[in-house]
Amino acid sequence: MTEFILDPGQIEMESMRIIRAGLKRPWLNKEYPVVERLIHTSGDPSLEQVIAIHPQAIDCGLKALKEGTTVITDVEMVRAGISKEKLKMLGGSVECNLNAPEIAEQAKEWGITRSMTAFRMHPERLKGAIVAIGNAPTALLEVLRLAQQPETRPALIIGIPVGFVGAKESKDILWERQDIPSVTVLGTRGGSPLAATVVNALIYTALREGN
């Protein structure tokens, strides 16, 4: 009969040990928490091959968190997955404007998606923020457009939309924009849990490091 580990802390430690032992790429020490959490959340060791982390992404994300920045998400599922109490300990907060009353009407008027509209209607919120996108490629494209201007440029873009229409292409564009710190998973894989887990990995690291 198979014996299962039942202690939550031991389960997590053993999971991370297995993941770390199976890594193939030469990650920097500061990148391990993000890489390991992405693989842990997906349950897929092969995900390592398509994880892309900008050289400045970790440092910029940690700096922003320690300064109490806002995390802005494209959908409520990403917002729900972020450890808001831990983020609050750093002085930060998380917001998602997708379901604000005016968004749906304005999206119809502009002829674009609601997720895209949510960012376009509040561009000033992007400056110095961490943007976490786990669902909508159109939202990622809009953030990239806005990020061309210093006054609407985020500190970090976590762009991991999932799907077969525009997701891969939007992430390719994100990764080509090496002037903007980013974390992404190239290809069609992605989703809200992965976007949230990157934010959480950075939050936990920031709390461990302190100010």
Side-chain angles (χ1 to χ4, degrees):
M1 181 176 177
T2 302
E3 292 188 9
F4 289 94
I5 300 172
L6 303 180
D7 178 77
Q10 191 177 351
I11 290 171
E12 182 172 356
M13 287 179 60
E14 179 63 8
S15 295
M16 294 306 166
R17 184 195 67 78
I18 293 170
I19 291 168
R20 178 72 66 96
L23 293 177
K24 308 295 184 184
R25 294 169 61 186
W27 300 101
L28 299 175
N29 285 335
K30 62 185 178 182
E31 295 171 338
Y32 277 118
V34 168
V35 173
E36 290 170 350
R37 288 289 171 184
L38 280 169
I39 294 171
H40 184 262
T41 297
S42 67
D44 182 4
S46 73
L47 194 75
E48 181 192 7
Q49 300 307 313
V50 289
I51 295 172
I53 302 177
H54 186 282
Q56 297 174 359
I58 305 300
D59 291 339
C60 288
L62 292 176
K63 181 176 184 293
L65 287 170
K66 291 175 184 179
E67 292 175 351
T69 195
T70 300
V71 179
I72 307 174
T73 71
D74 63 327
V75 292
E76 287 292 339
M77 281 190 66
V78 179
R79 190 187 70 82
I82 292 171
S83 181
K84 287 169 279 294
E85 288 302 313
K86 299 293 186 182
L87 180 59
K88 188 177 179 180
M89 291 170 65
L90 293 165
S93 61
V94 58
E95 66 180 49
C96 176
N97 297 308
L98 180 66
N99 294 320
E102 69 276 11
I103 297 298
E105 184 177 344
Q106 188 61 66
K108 287 182 180 179
E109 183 177 326
W110 284 343
I112 59 177
T113 65
R114 287 191 300 128
S115 56
M116 198 174 190
T117 303
F119 285 103
R120 185 173 294 186
M121 287 190 69
H122 301 282
E124 72 286 348
R125 302 291 293 158
L126 290 178
K127 185 174 182 180
I130 292 176
V131 175
I133 294 175
N135 183 75
T138 56
L140 179 53
L141 292 173
E142 180 65 13
V143 169
L144 286 170
R145 184 186 71 82
L146 293 167
Q148 295 179 50
Q149 303 301 322
E151 62 270 18
T152 52
R153 178 169 296 188
L156 171 66
I157 299 175
I158 298 166
I160 316 181
V162 61
F164 297 93
V165 180
K168 175 187 180 300
E169 292 79 6
S170 67
K171 289 183 283 186
D172 287 344
I173 294 170
L174 171 64
W175 191 238
E176 289 168 4
R177 287 286 303 276
Q178 287 294 298
D179 59 313
I180 303 175
S182 65
V183 177
T184 188
V185 172
L186 299 170
T188 58
R189 286 182 286 182
S192 297
L194 295 184
T197 208
V198 174
V199 177
N200 288 335
L202 292 172
I203 289 172
Y204 299 145
T205 300
L207 287 171
R208 285 196 302 269
E209 291 184 356
N211 295 318

